[in-house]
mmCIF file of all heavy atoms in Angstrom:
data_model
loop_
_atom_site.group_PDB
_atom_site.id
_atom_site.type_symbol
_atom_site.label_atom_id
_atom_site.label_comp_id
_atom_site.label_asym_id
_atom_site.label_seq_id
_atom_site.Cartn_x
_atom_site.Cartn_y
_atom_site.Cartn_z
ATOM 1 N N SER A 1 -15.401 7.925 -10.885
ATOM 2 C CA SER A 1 -15.244 9.275 -11.260
ATOM 3 C C SER A 1 -14.638 10.202 -10.169
ATOM 4 O O SER A 1 -13.976 11.173 -10.437
ATOM 5 C CB SER A 1 -16.572 9.927 -11.544
ATOM 6 O OG SER A 1 -17.173 9.252 -12.699
ATOM 7 N N ALA A 2 -14.729 9.727 -8.883
ATOM 8 C CA ALA A 2 -14.083 10.409 -7.746
ATOM 9 C C ALA A 2 -12.618 10.157 -7.702
ATOM 10 O O ALA A 2 -11.831 10.725 -6.997
ATOM 11 C CB ALA A 2 -14.660 9.944 -6.485
ATOM 12 N N GLY A 3 -12.098 9.151 -8.553
ATOM 13 C CA GLY A 3 -10.694 8.884 -8.648
ATOM 14 C C GLY A 3 -10.277 7.480 -8.134
ATOM 15 O O GLY A 3 -9.119 7.155 -8.156
ATOM 16 N N ALA A 4 -11.244 6.604 -7.848
ATOM 17 C CA ALA A 4 -10.932 5.287 -7.477
ATOM 18 C C ALA A 4 -10.314 4.527 -8.679
ATOM 19 O O ALA A 4 -10.766 4.793 -9.825
ATOM 20 C CB ALA A 4 -12.149 4.579 -6.984
ATOM 21 N N ASP A 5 -9.390 3.642 -8.402
ATOM 22 C CA ASP A 5 -8.748 2.921 -9.521
ATOM 23 C C ASP A 5 -9.487 1.581 -9.802
ATOM 24 O O ASP A 5 -9.416 0.958 -10.861
ATOM 25 C CB ASP A 5 -7.317 2.509 -9.187
ATOM 26 C CG ASP A 5 -6.464 3.854 -9.007
ATOM 27 O OD1 ASP A 5 -6.028 4.327 -10.098
ATOM 28 O OD2 ASP A 5 -6.345 4.285 -7.946
ATOM 29 N N ASP A 6 -10.209 1.088 -8.804
ATOM 30 C CA ASP A 6 -10.965 -0.153 -8.913
ATOM 31 C C ASP A 6 -12.092 -0.104 -7.993
ATOM 32 O O ASP A 6 -12.169 0.740 -7.054
ATOM 33 C CB ASP A 6 -10.021 -1.336 -8.614
ATOM 34 C CG ASP A 6 -10.616 -2.666 -9.365
ATOM 35 O OD1 ASP A 6 -11.702 -2.657 -9.854
ATOM 36 O OD2 ASP A 6 -9.863 -3.681 -9.133
ATOM 37 N N TYR A 7 -13.051 -1.042 -8.149
ATOM 38 C CA TYR A 7 -14.381 -1.030 -7.406
ATOM 39 C C TYR A 7 -14.772 -2.451 -7.133
ATOM 40 O O TYR A 7 -14.860 -3.249 -8.096
ATOM 41 C CB TYR A 7 -15.403 -0.290 -8.278
ATOM 42 C CG TYR A 7 -16.694 0.041 -7.674
ATOM 43 C CD1 TYR A 7 -16.976 1.372 -7.372
ATOM 44 C CD2 TYR A 7 -17.625 -0.876 -7.461
ATOM 45 C CE1 TYR A 7 -18.128 1.759 -6.739
ATOM 46 C CE2 TYR A 7 -18.898 -0.506 -6.862
ATOM 47 C CZ TYR A 7 -19.073 0.701 -6.527
ATOM 48 O OH TYR A 7 -20.338 1.031 -5.948
ATOM 49 N N VAL A 8 -14.926 -2.802 -5.825
ATOM 50 C CA VAL A 8 -15.298 -4.135 -5.457
ATOM 51 C C VAL A 8 -16.609 -4.100 -4.684
ATOM 52 O O VAL A 8 -16.692 -3.368 -3.642
ATOM 53 C CB VAL A 8 -14.249 -4.833 -4.634
ATOM 54 C CG1 VAL A 8 -14.624 -6.207 -4.308
ATOM 55 C CG2 VAL A 8 -12.826 -4.860 -5.399
ATOM 56 N N THR A 9 -17.577 -4.908 -5.091
ATOM 57 C CA THR A 9 -18.915 -4.852 -4.453
ATOM 58 C C THR A 9 -18.938 -5.953 -3.368
ATOM 59 O O THR A 9 -18.646 -7.169 -3.620
ATOM 60 C CB THR A 9 -20.010 -5.095 -5.455
ATOM 61 O OG1 THR A 9 -19.934 -4.069 -6.494
ATOM 62 C CG2 THR A 9 -21.407 -5.021 -4.828
ATOM 63 N N LYS A 10 -19.457 -5.617 -2.257
ATOM 64 C CA LYS A 10 -19.625 -6.510 -1.081
ATOM 65 C C LYS A 10 -20.875 -7.309 -1.405
ATOM 66 O O LYS A 10 -21.859 -6.826 -1.954
ATOM 67 C CB LYS A 10 -19.771 -5.815 0.167
ATOM 68 C CG LYS A 10 -18.556 -4.945 0.598
ATOM 69 C CD LYS A 10 -18.856 -4.189 1.873
ATOM 70 C CE LYS A 10 -17.785 -3.260 2.374
ATOM 71 N NZ LYS A 10 -18.037 -2.491 3.539
ATOM 72 N N PRO A 11 -20.921 -8.617 -1.007
ATOM 73 C CA PRO A 11 -19.834 -9.358 -0.502
ATOM 74 C C PRO A 11 -18.829 -9.799 -1.629
ATOM 75 O O PRO A 11 -19.328 -10.013 -2.757
ATOM 76 C CB PRO A 11 -20.439 -10.631 0.139
ATOM 77 C CG PRO A 11 -21.725 -10.754 -0.738
ATOM 78 C CD PRO A 11 -22.200 -9.333 -1.081
ATOM 79 N N PHE A 12 -17.609 -9.894 -1.360
ATOM 80 C CA PHE A 12 -16.568 -10.188 -2.349
ATOM 81 C C PHE A 12 -15.755 -11.410 -1.897
ATOM 82 O O PHE A 12 -15.763 -11.786 -0.715
ATOM 83 C CB PHE A 12 -15.666 -9.035 -2.658
ATOM 84 C CG PHE A 12 -15.100 -8.426 -1.417
ATOM 85 C CD1 PHE A 12 -14.032 -8.950 -0.715
ATOM 86 C CD2 PHE A 12 -15.724 -7.173 -0.979
ATOM 87 C CE1 PHE A 12 -13.539 -8.313 0.378
ATOM 88 C CE2 PHE A 12 -15.175 -6.580 0.156
ATOM 89 C CZ PHE A 12 -14.146 -7.218 0.878
ATOM 90 N N SER A 13 -15.106 -12.049 -2.791
ATOM 91 C CA SER A 13 -14.287 -13.238 -2.352
ATOM 92 C C SER A 13 -12.840 -12.641 -2.105
ATOM 93 O O SER A 13 -12.397 -11.758 -2.773
ATOM 94 C CB SER A 13 -14.156 -14.275 -3.599
ATOM 95 O OG SER A 13 -13.366 -13.826 -4.643
ATOM 96 N N ILE A 14 -12.272 -13.245 -1.049
ATOM 97 C CA ILE A 14 -10.866 -12.808 -0.747
ATOM 98 C C ILE A 14 -9.863 -13.003 -1.850
ATOM 99 O O ILE A 14 -9.060 -12.117 -2.135
ATOM 100 C CB ILE A 14 -10.440 -13.514 0.584
ATOM 101 C CG1 ILE A 14 -11.233 -12.968 1.769
ATOM 102 C CG2 ILE A 14 -8.960 -13.288 0.849
ATOM 103 C CD1 ILE A 14 -11.106 -11.476 2.076
ATOM 104 N N PRO A 15 -9.868 -14.186 -2.512
ATOM 105 C CA PRO A 15 -8.922 -14.403 -3.635
ATOM 106 C C PRO A 15 -9.031 -13.398 -4.700
ATOM 107 O O PRO A 15 -8.080 -12.865 -5.252
ATOM 108 C CB PRO A 15 -9.277 -15.779 -4.164
ATOM 109 C CG PRO A 15 -9.901 -16.510 -3.023
ATOM 110 C CD PRO A 15 -10.614 -15.424 -2.264
ATOM 111 N N GLU A 16 -10.311 -12.926 -5.066
ATOM 112 C CA GLU A 16 -10.504 -11.907 -6.077
ATOM 113 C C GLU A 16 -9.866 -10.562 -5.557
ATOM 114 O O GLU A 16 -9.230 -9.830 -6.319
ATOM 115 C CB GLU A 16 -11.999 -11.692 -6.352
ATOM 116 C CG GLU A 16 -12.247 -10.588 -7.365
ATOM 117 C CD GLU A 16 -13.675 -10.237 -7.551
ATOM 118 O OE1 GLU A 16 -14.601 -10.848 -6.889
ATOM 119 O OE2 GLU A 16 -13.967 -9.286 -8.343
ATOM 120 N N LEU A 17 -10.178 -10.201 -4.307
ATOM 121 C CA LEU A 17 -9.666 -8.963 -3.796
ATOM 122 C C LEU A 17 -8.125 -8.968 -3.791
ATOM 123 O O LEU A 17 -7.449 -7.974 -4.153
ATOM 124 C CB LEU A 17 -10.204 -8.678 -2.422
ATOM 125 C CG LEU A 17 -9.851 -7.298 -1.803
ATOM 126 C CD1 LEU A 17 -10.390 -6.197 -2.618
ATOM 127 C CD2 LEU A 17 -10.265 -7.260 -0.351
ATOM 128 N N MET A 18 -7.548 -10.104 -3.367
ATOM 129 C CA MET A 18 -6.065 -10.121 -3.382
ATOM 130 C C MET A 18 -5.508 -9.976 -4.747
ATOM 131 O O MET A 18 -4.483 -9.373 -4.968
ATOM 132 C CB MET A 18 -5.657 -11.470 -2.791
ATOM 133 C CG MET A 18 -5.935 -11.706 -1.329
ATOM 134 S SD MET A 18 -5.300 -10.498 -0.150
ATOM 135 C CE MET A 18 -6.797 -9.821 0.510
ATOM 136 N N ALA A 19 -6.217 -10.546 -5.782
ATOM 137 C CA ALA A 19 -5.809 -10.320 -7.102
ATOM 138 C C ALA A 19 -5.838 -8.984 -7.576
ATOM 139 O O ALA A 19 -4.942 -8.486 -8.333
ATOM 140 C CB ALA A 19 -6.607 -11.270 -8.051
ATOM 141 N N ARG A 20 -6.904 -8.225 -7.162
ATOM 142 C CA ARG A 20 -7.069 -6.845 -7.507
ATOM 143 C C ARG A 20 -5.948 -5.988 -6.781
ATOM 144 O O ARG A 20 -5.443 -5.028 -7.427
ATOM 145 C CB ARG A 20 -8.447 -6.392 -7.202
ATOM 146 C CG ARG A 20 -9.493 -6.924 -8.059
ATOM 147 C CD ARG A 20 -10.900 -6.519 -7.598
ATOM 148 N NE ARG A 20 -11.969 -7.173 -8.369
ATOM 149 C CZ ARG A 20 -12.589 -6.494 -9.336
ATOM 150 N NH1 ARG A 20 -12.381 -5.207 -9.597
ATOM 151 N NH2 ARG A 20 -13.590 -7.151 -9.967
ATOM 152 N N VAL A 21 -5.653 -6.344 -5.551
ATOM 153 C CA VAL A 21 -4.546 -5.656 -4.854
ATOM 154 C C VAL A 21 -3.258 -5.836 -5.635
ATOM 155 O O VAL A 21 -2.472 -4.839 -5.880
ATOM 156 C CB VAL A 21 -4.456 -6.100 -3.398
ATOM 157 C CG1 VAL A 21 -3.150 -5.532 -2.770
ATOM 158 C CG2 VAL A 21 -5.608 -5.683 -2.548
ATOM 159 N N LYS A 22 -2.945 -7.043 -5.984
ATOM 160 C CA LYS A 22 -1.646 -7.264 -6.722
ATOM 161 C C LYS A 22 -1.605 -6.596 -8.068
ATOM 162 O O LYS A 22 -0.598 -6.071 -8.508
ATOM 163 C CB LYS A 22 -1.543 -8.820 -6.961
ATOM 164 C CG LYS A 22 -1.175 -9.578 -5.695
ATOM 165 C CD LYS A 22 -1.213 -11.057 -5.949
ATOM 166 C CE LYS A 22 -0.897 -11.840 -4.625
ATOM 167 N NZ LYS A 22 -0.932 -13.261 -4.821
ATOM 168 N N ALA A 23 -2.826 -6.520 -8.737
ATOM 169 C CA ALA A 23 -2.883 -5.745 -9.958
ATOM 170 C C ALA A 23 -2.493 -4.266 -9.801
ATOM 171 O O ALA A 23 -1.782 -3.711 -10.575
ATOM 172 C CB ALA A 23 -4.234 -5.858 -10.630
ATOM 173 N N GLN A 24 -3.036 -3.713 -8.760
ATOM 174 C CA GLN A 24 -2.703 -2.208 -8.439
ATOM 175 C C GLN A 24 -1.317 -2.071 -8.074
ATOM 176 O O GLN A 24 -0.641 -1.067 -8.328
ATOM 177 C CB GLN A 24 -3.727 -1.765 -7.366
ATOM 178 C CG GLN A 24 -5.118 -1.646 -7.831
ATOM 179 C CD GLN A 24 -5.324 -0.813 -9.016
ATOM 180 O OE1 GLN A 24 -4.660 0.213 -9.210
ATOM 181 N NE2 GLN A 24 -6.271 -1.209 -9.911
ATOM 182 N N LEU A 25 -0.710 -3.089 -7.358
ATOM 183 C CA LEU A 25 0.750 -2.893 -6.886
ATOM 184 C C LEU A 25 1.637 -2.897 -8.122
ATOM 185 O O LEU A 25 2.772 -2.443 -7.952
ATOM 186 C CB LEU A 25 1.032 -4.093 -5.988
ATOM 187 C CG LEU A 25 0.483 -3.931 -4.497
ATOM 188 C CD1 LEU A 25 0.781 -5.195 -3.712
ATOM 189 C CD2 LEU A 25 1.128 -2.753 -3.859
ATOM 190 N N ARG A 26 1.191 -3.446 -9.257
ATOM 191 C CA ARG A 26 2.066 -3.396 -10.391
ATOM 192 C C ARG A 26 2.353 -1.995 -10.899
ATOM 193 O O ARG A 26 3.361 -1.697 -11.506
ATOM 194 C CB ARG A 26 1.449 -4.186 -11.562
ATOM 195 C CG ARG A 26 1.308 -5.662 -11.352
ATOM 196 C CD ARG A 26 0.901 -6.450 -12.538
ATOM 197 N NE ARG A 26 0.449 -7.809 -12.236
ATOM 198 C CZ ARG A 26 -0.854 -8.162 -12.336
ATOM 199 N NH1 ARG A 26 -1.719 -7.370 -12.753
ATOM 200 N NH2 ARG A 26 -1.173 -9.411 -12.015
ATOM 201 N N HIS A 27 1.406 -1.103 -10.490
ATOM 202 C CA HIS A 27 1.578 0.337 -10.896
ATOM 203 C C HIS A 27 2.096 1.186 -9.737
ATOM 204 O O HIS A 27 2.361 2.295 -9.915
ATOM 205 C CB HIS A 27 0.288 0.894 -11.419
ATOM 206 C CG HIS A 27 -0.453 -0.046 -12.431
ATOM 207 N ND1 HIS A 27 0.066 -0.235 -13.614
ATOM 208 C CD2 HIS A 27 -1.603 -0.694 -12.358
ATOM 209 C CE1 HIS A 27 -0.724 -1.062 -14.230
ATOM 210 N NE2 HIS A 27 -1.785 -1.347 -13.525
ATOM 211 N N ALA A 28 2.248 0.592 -8.547
ATOM 212 C CA ALA A 28 2.629 1.421 -7.407
ATOM 213 C C ALA A 28 4.159 1.429 -7.310
ATOM 214 O O ALA A 28 4.866 0.472 -7.704
ATOM 215 C CB ALA A 28 2.041 0.744 -6.123
ATOM 216 N N PRO A 29 4.706 2.571 -6.838
ATOM 217 C CA PRO A 29 6.134 2.628 -6.656
ATOM 218 C C PRO A 29 6.594 1.704 -5.610
ATOM 219 O O PRO A 29 5.880 1.389 -4.663
ATOM 220 C CB PRO A 29 6.431 4.102 -6.274
ATOM 221 C CG PRO A 29 5.131 4.506 -5.728
ATOM 222 C CD PRO A 29 4.019 3.768 -6.412
ATOM 223 N N GLU A 30 7.802 1.208 -5.641
ATOM 224 C CA GLU A 30 8.408 0.299 -4.632
ATOM 225 C C GLU A 30 8.544 1.090 -3.283
ATOM 226 O O GLU A 30 8.908 2.326 -3.328
ATOM 227 C CB GLU A 30 9.768 -0.130 -5.030
ATOM 228 C CG GLU A 30 9.807 -1.225 -6.056
ATOM 229 C CD GLU A 30 9.041 -2.496 -5.588
ATOM 230 O OE1 GLU A 30 9.324 -2.964 -4.428
ATOM 231 O OE2 GLU A 30 8.224 -3.029 -6.284
ATOM 232 N N PRO A 31 8.068 0.528 -2.208
ATOM 233 C CA PRO A 31 8.209 1.247 -0.875
ATOM 234 C C PRO A 31 9.653 1.592 -0.564
ATOM 235 O O PRO A 31 10.577 0.817 -0.824
ATOM 236 C CB PRO A 31 7.596 0.265 0.078
ATOM 237 C CG PRO A 31 7.738 -1.075 -0.492
ATOM 238 C CD PRO A 31 7.651 -0.890 -2.029
ATOM 239 N N GLN A 32 9.895 2.810 0.017
ATOM 240 C CA GLN A 32 11.163 3.232 0.444
ATOM 241 C C GLN A 32 11.474 2.870 1.911
ATOM 242 O O GLN A 32 10.595 2.964 2.694
ATOM 243 C CB GLN A 32 11.295 4.728 0.210
ATOM 244 C CG GLN A 32 11.071 5.191 -1.122
ATOM 245 C CD GLN A 32 12.165 4.637 -2.101
ATOM 246 O OE1 GLN A 32 13.311 4.812 -1.818
ATOM 247 N NE2 GLN A 32 11.690 4.141 -3.189
ATOM 248 N N THR A 33 12.602 2.261 2.096
ATOM 249 C CA THR A 33 13.019 1.884 3.450
ATOM 250 C C THR A 33 13.695 3.033 4.214
ATOM 251 O O THR A 33 14.709 3.666 3.647
ATOM 252 C CB THR A 33 13.980 0.714 3.417
ATOM 253 O OG1 THR A 33 13.374 -0.343 2.647
ATOM 254 C CG2 THR A 33 14.379 0.213 4.759
ATOM 255 N N LYS A 34 13.164 3.439 5.241
ATOM 256 C CA LYS A 34 13.844 4.465 6.090
ATOM 257 C C LYS A 34 15.053 3.891 6.719
ATOM 258 O O LYS A 34 15.110 2.744 7.181
ATOM 259 C CB LYS A 34 12.998 4.975 7.215
ATOM 260 C CG LYS A 34 11.989 6.027 6.781
ATOM 261 C CD LYS A 34 11.262 6.646 8.028
ATOM 262 C CE LYS A 34 10.376 7.718 7.663
ATOM 263 N NZ LYS A 34 9.663 8.417 8.774
ATOM 264 N N LYS A 35 16.186 4.598 6.657
ATOM 265 C CA LYS A 35 17.456 4.059 7.183
ATOM 266 C C LYS A 35 17.784 4.626 8.600
ATOM 267 O O LYS A 35 18.533 4.040 9.349
ATOM 268 C CB LYS A 35 18.601 4.446 6.240
ATOM 269 C CG LYS A 35 18.541 3.722 4.932
ATOM 270 C CD LYS A 35 19.699 4.050 4.040
ATOM 271 C CE LYS A 35 19.543 3.358 2.707
ATOM 272 N NZ LYS A 35 20.714 3.563 1.828
ATOM 273 N N GLU A 36 17.112 5.790 8.998
ATOM 274 C CA GLU A 36 17.291 6.245 10.318
ATOM 275 C C GLU A 36 16.093 7.077 10.778
ATOM 276 O O GLU A 36 15.380 7.611 9.927
ATOM 277 C CB GLU A 36 18.617 7.101 10.365
ATOM 278 C CG GLU A 36 18.558 8.315 9.501
ATOM 279 C CD GLU A 36 19.879 9.124 9.694
ATOM 280 O OE1 GLU A 36 20.949 8.586 10.013
ATOM 281 O OE2 GLU A 36 19.857 10.320 9.398
ATOM 282 N N LEU A 37 15.993 7.231 12.126
ATOM 283 C CA LEU A 37 15.018 8.124 12.721
ATOM 284 C C LEU A 37 15.810 9.088 13.562
ATOM 285 O O LEU A 37 16.749 8.704 14.254
ATOM 286 C CB LEU A 37 14.025 7.292 13.520
ATOM 287 C CG LEU A 37 13.124 6.367 12.833
ATOM 288 C CD1 LEU A 37 12.380 5.461 13.863
ATOM 289 C CD2 LEU A 37 12.098 7.025 11.956
ATOM 290 N N ILE A 38 15.353 10.341 13.607
ATOM 291 C CA ILE A 38 16.067 11.368 14.343
ATOM 292 C C ILE A 38 15.007 12.152 15.173
ATOM 293 O O ILE A 38 13.933 12.610 14.641
ATOM 294 C CB ILE A 38 16.827 12.349 13.516
ATOM 295 C CG1 ILE A 38 17.962 11.560 12.783
ATOM 296 C CG2 ILE A 38 17.398 13.455 14.349
ATOM 297 C CD1 ILE A 38 18.750 12.388 11.702
ATOM 298 N N PHE A 39 15.291 12.301 16.489
ATOM 299 C CA PHE A 39 14.506 13.219 17.292
ATOM 300 C C PHE A 39 15.448 13.926 18.209
ATOM 301 O O PHE A 39 16.154 13.378 19.005
ATOM 302 C CB PHE A 39 13.432 12.407 18.126
ATOM 303 C CG PHE A 39 12.584 13.266 19.085
ATOM 304 C CD1 PHE A 39 11.398 13.793 18.567
ATOM 305 C CD2 PHE A 39 12.990 13.664 20.363
ATOM 306 C CE1 PHE A 39 10.556 14.636 19.245
ATOM 307 C CE2 PHE A 39 12.125 14.449 21.132
ATOM 308 C CZ PHE A 39 10.915 14.968 20.547
ATOM 309 N N GLU A 40 15.521 15.334 17.942
ATOM 310 C CA GLU A 40 16.391 16.156 18.657
ATOM 311 C C GLU A 40 17.832 15.522 18.500
ATOM 312 O O GLU A 40 18.309 15.372 17.386
ATOM 313 C CB GLU A 40 16.053 16.327 20.114
ATOM 314 C CG GLU A 40 14.722 17.092 20.298
ATOM 315 C CD GLU A 40 14.788 18.504 19.724
ATOM 316 O OE1 GLU A 40 15.747 19.204 20.098
ATOM 317 O OE2 GLU A 40 13.836 18.855 19.050
ATOM 318 N N ASP A 41 18.513 15.201 19.637
ATOM 319 C CA ASP A 41 19.952 14.661 19.539
ATOM 320 C C ASP A 41 19.970 13.114 19.549
ATOM 321 O O ASP A 41 21.023 12.505 19.545
ATOM 322 C CB ASP A 41 20.826 15.186 20.632
ATOM 323 C CG ASP A 41 20.323 14.794 22.014
ATOM 324 O OD1 ASP A 41 19.066 14.474 22.183
ATOM 325 O OD2 ASP A 41 21.123 14.828 22.955
ATOM 326 N N ILE A 42 18.690 12.505 19.519
ATOM 327 C CA ILE A 42 18.634 11.031 19.469
ATOM 328 C C ILE A 42 18.545 10.535 18.016
ATOM 329 O O ILE A 42 17.704 11.035 17.238
ATOM 330 C CB ILE A 42 17.430 10.480 20.261
ATOM 331 C CG1 ILE A 42 17.495 11.004 21.689
ATOM 332 C CG2 ILE A 42 17.437 8.984 20.231
ATOM 333 C CD1 ILE A 42 16.188 10.686 22.485
ATOM 334 N N LYS A 43 19.444 9.617 17.602
ATOM 335 C CA LYS A 43 19.370 9.104 16.302
ATOM 336 C C LYS A 43 19.390 7.593 16.327
ATOM 337 O O LYS A 43 20.141 6.980 17.095
ATOM 338 C CB LYS A 43 20.590 9.545 15.508
ATOM 339 C CG LYS A 43 20.568 9.010 14.079
ATOM 340 C CD LYS A 43 21.753 9.615 13.173
ATOM 341 C CE LYS A 43 23.135 8.955 13.504
ATOM 342 N NZ LYS A 43 24.119 9.331 12.523
ATOM 343 N N MET A 44 18.428 6.960 15.570
ATOM 344 C CA MET A 44 18.297 5.448 15.478
ATOM 345 C C MET A 44 18.831 5.060 14.155
ATOM 346 O O MET A 44 18.205 5.465 13.030
ATOM 347 C CB MET A 44 16.846 5.032 15.699
ATOM 348 C CG MET A 44 16.286 5.314 17.051
ATOM 349 S SD MET A 44 14.742 4.429 17.277
ATOM 350 C CE MET A 44 15.321 2.734 17.676
#
């Protein structure tokens, strides 16, 4: 009700948790890659 998408009770198995992470990633946007960093006149 607080807004969690899933709920895992400890102790949990790592394979189960990894499966739940992958399930949530199906709905997550693809990460964006930064192409540059800028600080004052320094650019990477």
Side-chain angles (χ1 to χ4, degrees):
S1 297
D5 297 277
D6 202 352
Y7 190 106
V8 180
T9 304
K10 300 176 184 177
F12 48 78
S13 75
I14 291 299
E16 178 190 359
L17 183 62
M18 295 301 120
R20 289 175 183 258
V21 169
K22 288 176 183 176
Q24 293 302 324
L25 285 173
R26 296 191 194 109
H27 311 296
E30 284 297 315
Q32 298 297 309
T33 305
K34 278 190 176 181
K35 295 184 179 179
E36 65 178 23
L37 295 171
I38 297 174
F39 183 87
E40 296 298 313
D41 63 339
I42 304 172
K43 183 173 77 172
M44 298 192 77

